[in-house]
Amino acid sequence: MLKSARAAWTYVTREITPKGFVGATKNYQYLTVWDMASEFAAAYSARELGFINRARYKAFVDRTLTSIEKLALYDGAAFNRMYSAQTGEMVDSKAQPTEVGMGWSALDHGRLFVWLKLVAKDDPA
């Protein structure tokens, strides 16, 4: 199991963009709010498993949080269903940039909020 966890973390570190996002797959550089939660889960787990130290964990989380804070919101209220991992732009169902968006997912938001709570509890700053 540790070998699989290390392989997963290697994927994250190889595929992370300058914005601090990881696309859903190597060949699909878009992400959902669910995927954003997965990034926090990956970093938290990597630190807990000793793959990275606290400083590297904090840098990873800070970069991703900074980018999330800048994302355009669907209807000005919630994260859009999908964004570009490269640019952070809101995209539509055809992965084209949009100012309108394509809706939001309560399930995806819930998962993100769980991981944000774990990150905040671990480091209130």
Side-chain angles (χ1 to χ4, degrees):
M1 183 156 61
L2 196 57
K3 185 176 178 181
S4 295
R6 196 174 302 280
W9 180 245
T10 298
Y11 173 82
V12 169
T13 59
R14 185 181 64 237
E15 297 298 322
I16 194 161
T17 68
K19 292 284 185 186
F21 296 131
V22 177
T25 68
K26 181 177 178 141
N27 297 317
Y28 191 74
Q29 287 299 299
Y30 301 94
L31 74 158
T32 65
V33 177
W34 184 277
D35 299 321
M36 290 177 210
S38 294
E39 291 182 33
F40 291 116
Y44 188 93
S45 298
R47 192 203 59 210
E48 290 297 305
L49 290 168
F51 299 166
I52 59 174
N53 62 27
R54 184 145 186 84
R56 188 163 171 211
Y57 166 77
K58 185 162 176 29
F60 182 100
V61 168
D62 288 349
R63 176 172 53 173
T64 303
L65 283 173
T66 298
S67 291
I68 286 175
E69 288 176 337
K70 297 174 185 173
L71 293 176
L73 300 177
Y74 174 78
D75 207 20
F79 291 114
N80 188 49
R81 285 192 177 270
M82 195 164 58
Y83 294 88
S84 165
Q86 297 293 327
T87 66
E89 287 179 290
M90 186 166 41
V91 297
D92 62 21
S93 60
K94 295 179 181 165
Q96 297 300 309
T98 179
E99 292 183 18
V100 177
M102 63 174 175
W104 58 279
S105 166
L107 183 63
D108 287 13
H109 278 75
R111 184 165 191 265
L112 177 62
F113 295 153
V114 166
W115 279 103
L116 288 174
K117 177 67 174 177
L118 288 167
V119 167
K121 186 175 181 184
D122 184 61
D123 183 3

Short mmCIF file of all heavy atoms in Angstrom, two decimals, residues 51-87:
data_model
loop_
_atom_site.label_atom_id
_atom_site.label_comp_id
_atom_site.label_asym_id
_atom_site.label_seq_id
_atom_site.Cartn_x
_atom_site.Cartn_y
_atom_site.Cartn_z
N PHE A 51 6.46 11.50 3.33
CA PHE A 51 6.99 11.73 1.99
C PHE A 51 7.51 13.15 1.83
O PHE A 51 8.41 13.40 1.03
CB PHE A 51 5.94 11.49 0.91
CG PHE A 51 5.39 10.09 0.86
CD1 PHE A 51 4.25 9.83 0.14
CD2 PHE A 51 6.00 9.03 1.51
CE1 PHE A 51 3.73 8.55 0.06
CE2 PHE A 51 5.49 7.75 1.45
CZ PHE A 51 4.34 7.51 0.72
N ILE A 52 6.89 14.09 2.56
CA ILE A 52 7.31 15.49 2.51
C ILE A 52 7.38 16.03 3.93
O ILE A 52 6.72 15.52 4.83
CB ILE A 52 6.36 16.37 1.65
CG1 ILE A 52 4.93 16.33 2.19
CG2 ILE A 52 6.42 15.95 0.19
CD1 ILE A 52 3.96 17.28 1.48
N ASN A 53 8.16 17.08 4.10
CA ASN A 53 8.25 17.71 5.43
C ASN A 53 7.19 18.80 5.57
O ASN A 53 6.47 19.13 4.64
CB ASN A 53 9.66 18.24 5.68
CG ASN A 53 10.06 19.33 4.70
OD1 ASN A 53 9.23 20.05 4.15
ND2 ASN A 53 11.36 19.45 4.45
N ARG A 54 7.11 19.34 6.75
CA ARG A 54 6.09 20.35 7.06
C ARG A 54 6.23 21.59 6.16
O ARG A 54 5.23 22.14 5.71
CB ARG A 54 6.17 20.75 8.52
CG ARG A 54 5.09 21.72 8.93
CD ARG A 54 4.66 21.45 10.36
NE ARG A 54 3.54 22.27 10.74
CZ ARG A 54 2.26 21.97 10.48
NH1 ARG A 54 1.96 20.88 9.81
NH2 ARG A 54 1.30 22.76 10.87
N ALA A 55 7.45 22.02 5.90
CA ALA A 55 7.66 23.22 5.07
C ALA A 55 7.16 22.99 3.64
O ALA A 55 6.51 23.86 3.05
CB ALA A 55 9.13 23.60 5.06
N ARG A 56 7.46 21.83 3.09
CA ARG A 56 7.00 21.54 1.72
C ARG A 56 5.47 21.41 1.68
O ARG A 56 4.82 21.86 0.74
CB ARG A 56 7.66 20.26 1.21
CG ARG A 56 7.37 20.01 -0.24
CD ARG A 56 8.33 19.00 -0.83
NE ARG A 56 7.88 18.64 -2.16
CZ ARG A 56 8.07 17.47 -2.71
NH1 ARG A 56 8.76 16.54 -2.07
NH2 ARG A 56 7.61 17.21 -3.91
N TYR A 57 4.90 20.80 2.70
CA TYR A 57 3.45 20.69 2.81
C TYR A 57 2.81 22.08 2.85
O TYR A 57 1.88 22.37 2.12
CB TYR A 57 3.08 19.90 4.07
CG TYR A 57 1.64 20.01 4.48
CD1 TYR A 57 0.65 19.29 3.81
CD2 TYR A 57 1.25 20.84 5.53
CE1 TYR A 57 -0.67 19.38 4.18
CE2 TYR A 57 -0.07 20.94 5.91
CZ TYR A 57 -1.03 20.21 5.24
OH TYR A 57 -2.35 20.31 5.60
N LYS A 58 3.36 22.94 3.69
CA LYS A 58 2.80 24.29 3.83
C LYS A 58 2.91 25.06 2.52
O LYS A 58 1.96 25.74 2.11
CB LYS A 58 3.51 25.04 4.96
CG LYS A 58 2.91 26.41 5.23
CD LYS A 58 3.31 26.93 6.57
CE LYS A 58 2.85 28.31 6.88
NZ LYS A 58 1.61 28.76 6.28
N ALA A 59 4.03 24.95 1.83
CA ALA A 59 4.19 25.64 0.54
C ALA A 59 3.17 25.13 -0.48
O ALA A 59 2.58 25.92 -1.22
CB ALA A 59 5.61 25.44 0.02
N PHE A 60 2.94 23.83 -0.50
CA PHE A 60 1.97 23.24 -1.42
C PHE A 60 0.57 23.78 -1.12
O PHE A 60 -0.12 24.25 -2.02
CB PHE A 60 2.01 21.71 -1.27
CG PHE A 60 1.09 20.97 -2.20
CD1 PHE A 60 1.58 20.39 -3.35
CD2 PHE A 60 -0.27 20.85 -1.93
CE1 PHE A 60 0.75 19.69 -4.22
CE2 PHE A 60 -1.11 20.16 -2.79
CZ PHE A 60 -0.60 19.59 -3.93
N VAL A 61 0.17 23.70 0.14
CA VAL A 61 -1.17 24.14 0.54
C VAL A 61 -1.34 25.64 0.30
O VAL A 61 -2.37 26.07 -0.22
CB VAL A 61 -1.44 23.76 2.01
CG1 VAL A 61 -2.68 24.46 2.55
CG2 VAL A 61 -1.57 22.25 2.14
N ASP A 62 -0.35 26.43 0.66
CA ASP A 62 -0.44 27.88 0.47
C ASP A 62 -0.62 28.26 -1.00
O ASP A 62 -1.43 29.11 -1.33
CB ASP A 62 0.79 28.59 1.03
CG ASP A 62 0.83 28.61 2.54
OD1 ASP A 62 -0.18 28.26 3.18
OD2 ASP A 62 1.89 28.98 3.09
N ARG A 63 0.13 27.61 -1.88
CA ARG A 63 0.02 27.91 -3.31
C ARG A 63 -1.37 27.57 -3.82
O ARG A 63 -1.99 28.34 -4.54
CB ARG A 63 1.08 27.16 -4.11
CG ARG A 63 0.94 27.36 -5.61
CD ARG A 63 2.07 26.78 -6.41
NE ARG A 63 2.31 25.37 -6.09
CZ ARG A 63 3.15 24.61 -6.76
NH1 ARG A 63 3.86 25.09 -7.76
NH2 ARG A 63 3.33 23.35 -6.42
N THR A 64 -1.87 26.41 -3.44
CA THR A 64 -3.20 26.00 -3.91
C THR A 64 -4.28 26.90 -3.33
O THR A 64 -5.19 27.32 -4.05
CB THR A 64 -3.45 24.52 -3.56
OG1 THR A 64 -2.40 23.73 -4.14
CG2 THR A 64 -4.78 24.04 -4.09
N LEU A 65 -4.19 27.23 -2.05
CA LEU A 65 -5.18 28.12 -1.44
C LEU A 65 -5.18 29.50 -2.10
O LEU A 65 -6.24 30.08 -2.35
CB LEU A 65 -4.93 28.27 0.06
CG LEU A 65 -5.37 27.12 0.94
CD1 LEU A 65 -4.89 27.34 2.38
CD2 LEU A 65 -6.88 26.94 0.91
N THR A 66 -3.99 30.02 -2.39
CA THR A 66 -3.88 31.33 -3.04
C THR A 66 -4.58 31.31 -4.39
O THR A 66 -5.31 32.25 -4.74
CB THR A 66 -2.41 31.73 -3.19
OG1 THR A 66 -1.84 31.85 -1.88
CG2 THR A 66 -2.25 33.04 -3.92
N SER A 67 -4.40 30.25 -5.14
CA SER A 67 -5.05 30.15 -6.45
C SER A 67 -6.56 29.96 -6.31
O SER A 67 -7.33 30.54 -7.08
CB SER A 67 -4.44 29.02 -7.26
OG SER A 67 -3.12 29.34 -7.64
N ILE A 68 -6.99 29.17 -5.35
CA ILE A 68 -8.42 28.96 -5.14
C ILE A 68 -9.11 30.28 -4.80
O ILE A 68 -10.22 30.54 -5.26
CB ILE A 68 -8.67 27.88 -4.07
CG1 ILE A 68 -8.36 26.49 -4.64
CG2 ILE A 68 -10.10 27.93 -3.55
CD1 ILE A 68 -8.46 25.37 -3.64
N GLU A 69 -8.46 31.10 -4.00
CA GLU A 69 -9.04 32.39 -3.62
C GLU A 69 -9.31 33.29 -4.82
O GLU A 69 -10.19 34.15 -4.77
CB GLU A 69 -8.13 33.13 -2.65
CG GLU A 69 -8.08 32.54 -1.28
CD GLU A 69 -7.07 33.24 -0.37
OE1 GLU A 69 -6.13 33.87 -0.88
OE2 GLU A 69 -7.27 33.16 0.85
N LYS A 70 -8.59 33.08 -5.90
CA LYS A 70 -8.71 33.93 -7.08
C LYS A 70 -9.68 33.38 -8.13
O LYS A 70 -9.92 34.03 -9.14
CB LYS A 70 -7.33 34.12 -7.72
CG LYS A 70 -6.36 34.85 -6.82
CD LYS A 70 -4.98 34.89 -7.42
CE LYS A 70 -3.99 35.52 -6.43
NZ LYS A 70 -2.63 35.42 -6.92
N LEU A 71 -10.23 32.20 -7.92
CA LEU A 71 -11.11 31.60 -8.92
C LEU A 71 -12.41 32.38 -9.05
O LEU A 71 -13.00 32.82 -8.06
CB LEU A 71 -11.44 30.15 -8.53
CG LEU A 71 -10.29 29.15 -8.55
CD1 LEU A 71 -10.77 27.79 -8.05
CD2 LEU A 71 -9.69 29.04 -9.95
N ALA A 72 -12.86 32.51 -10.29
CA ALA A 72 -14.17 33.09 -10.54
C ALA A 72 -15.23 32.12 -10.03
O ALA A 72 -15.05 30.89 -10.12
CB ALA A 72 -14.35 33.34 -12.04
N LEU A 73 -16.31 32.64 -9.50
CA LEU A 73 -17.37 31.81 -8.95
C LEU A 73 -18.57 31.75 -9.89
O LEU A 73 -18.89 32.73 -10.57
CB LEU A 73 -17.82 32.34 -7.60
CG LEU A 73 -16.75 32.42 -6.51
CD1 LEU A 73 -17.33 33.03 -5.25
CD2 LEU A 73 -16.15 31.05 -6.23
N TYR A 74 -19.21 30.61 -9.91
CA TYR A 74 -20.44 30.46 -10.68
C TYR A 74 -21.52 31.30 -10.00
O TYR A 74 -21.74 31.19 -8.80
CB TYR A 74 -20.88 28.99 -10.73
CG TYR A 74 -22.22 28.80 -11.37
CD1 TYR A 74 -22.35 28.85 -12.75
CD2 TYR A 74 -23.35 28.62 -10.60
CE1 TYR A 74 -23.58 28.71 -13.36
CE2 TYR A 74 -24.59 28.47 -11.19
CZ TYR A 74 -24.70 28.52 -12.57
OH TYR A 74 -25.93 28.39 -13.15
N ASP A 75 -22.15 32.16 -10.77
CA ASP A 75 -23.22 33.02 -10.27
C ASP A 75 -22.76 33.85 -9.05
O ASP A 75 -23.56 34.23 -8.21
CB ASP A 75 -24.45 32.19 -9.93
CG ASP A 75 -25.75 32.96 -10.05
OD1 ASP A 75 -25.77 34.00 -10.74
OD2 ASP A 75 -26.74 32.53 -9.43
N GLY A 76 -21.45 34.07 -8.95
CA GLY A 76 -20.89 34.86 -7.86
C GLY A 76 -21.03 34.24 -6.48
O GLY A 76 -20.80 34.90 -5.47
N ALA A 77 -21.40 32.94 -6.43
CA ALA A 77 -21.71 32.35 -5.13
C ALA A 77 -21.00 31.03 -4.81
O ALA A 77 -20.79 30.73 -3.65
CB ALA A 77 -23.21 32.14 -5.03
N ALA A 78 -20.67 30.24 -5.83
CA ALA A 78 -20.10 28.92 -5.57
C ALA A 78 -19.06 28.61 -6.64
O ALA A 78 -19.08 29.20 -7.72
CB ALA A 78 -21.20 27.86 -5.60
N PHE A 79 -18.18 27.68 -6.34
CA PHE A 79 -17.20 27.27 -7.34
C PHE A 79 -17.91 26.62 -8.52
O PHE A 79 -18.85 25.84 -8.34
CB PHE A 79 -16.18 26.28 -6.75
CG PHE A 79 -15.27 26.90 -5.74
CD1 PHE A 79 -15.32 26.51 -4.41
CD2 PHE A 79 -14.36 27.87 -6.11
CE1 PHE A 79 -14.47 27.07 -3.48
CE2 PHE A 79 -13.50 28.45 -5.19
CZ PHE A 79 -13.56 28.05 -3.86
N ASN A 80 -17.44 26.94 -9.70
CA ASN A 80 -17.96 26.33 -10.93
C ASN A 80 -17.64 24.83 -10.92
O ASN A 80 -16.77 24.38 -10.19
CB ASN A 80 -17.29 27.01 -12.13
CG ASN A 80 -17.89 26.60 -13.45
OD1 ASN A 80 -19.11 26.62 -13.61
ND2 ASN A 80 -17.05 26.24 -14.39
N ARG A 81 -18.30 24.08 -11.76
CA ARG A 81 -18.04 22.64 -11.84
C ARG A 81 -16.62 22.32 -12.30
O ARG A 81 -16.08 21.30 -11.93
CB ARG A 81 -19.02 21.97 -12.78
CG ARG A 81 -20.39 21.81 -12.18
CD ARG A 81 -21.23 20.88 -13.05
NE ARG A 81 -22.51 20.66 -12.44
CZ ARG A 81 -22.80 19.70 -11.59
NH1 ARG A 81 -21.86 18.86 -11.22
NH2 ARG A 81 -23.99 19.57 -11.10
N MET A 82 -16.03 23.20 -13.14
CA MET A 82 -14.72 22.85 -13.70
C MET A 82 -13.90 24.11 -13.99
O MET A 82 -14.44 25.14 -14.37
CB MET A 82 -14.91 22.03 -14.97
CG MET A 82 -13.68 21.32 -15.43
SD MET A 82 -14.00 20.00 -16.64
CE MET A 82 -14.81 20.86 -17.96
N TYR A 83 -12.57 23.94 -13.84
CA TYR A 83 -11.60 25.01 -14.11
C TYR A 83 -10.41 24.44 -14.86
O TYR A 83 -10.14 23.24 -14.80
CB TYR A 83 -11.08 25.60 -12.78
CG TYR A 83 -12.13 26.33 -11.99
CD1 TYR A 83 -12.94 25.67 -11.08
CD2 TYR A 83 -12.31 27.70 -12.16
CE1 TYR A 83 -13.91 26.34 -10.35
CE2 TYR A 83 -13.28 28.38 -11.43
CZ TYR A 83 -14.08 27.70 -10.54
OH TYR A 83 -15.03 28.37 -9.82
N SER A 84 -9.67 25.32 -15.51
CA SER A 84 -8.41 24.91 -16.14
C SER A 84 -7.34 24.77 -15.06
O SER A 84 -7.14 25.69 -14.26
CB SER A 84 -7.97 25.97 -17.16
OG SER A 84 -6.62 25.78 -17.51
N ALA A 85 -6.66 23.65 -15.05
CA ALA A 85 -5.56 23.45 -14.09
C ALA A 85 -4.38 24.35 -14.43
O ALA A 85 -3.60 24.72 -13.55
CB ALA A 85 -5.13 21.99 -14.07
N GLN A 86 -4.24 24.71 -15.68
CA GLN A 86 -3.11 25.54 -16.13
C GLN A 86 -3.31 27.01 -15.77
O GLN A 86 -2.36 27.67 -15.34
CB GLN A 86 -2.93 25.41 -17.64
CG GLN A 86 -2.57 24.01 -18.08
CD GLN A 86 -1.20 23.57 -17.60
OE1 GLN A 86 -0.28 24.38 -17.49
NE2 GLN A 86 -1.05 22.31 -17.29
N THR A 87 -4.52 27.53 -15.99
CA THR A 87 -4.75 28.97 -15.83
C THR A 87 -5.66 29.34 -14.67
O THR A 87 -5.68 30.49 -14.25
CB THR A 87 -5.39 29.54 -17.11
OG1 THR A 87 -6.70 28.97 -17.27
CG2 THR A 87 -4.53 29.27 -18.33
#
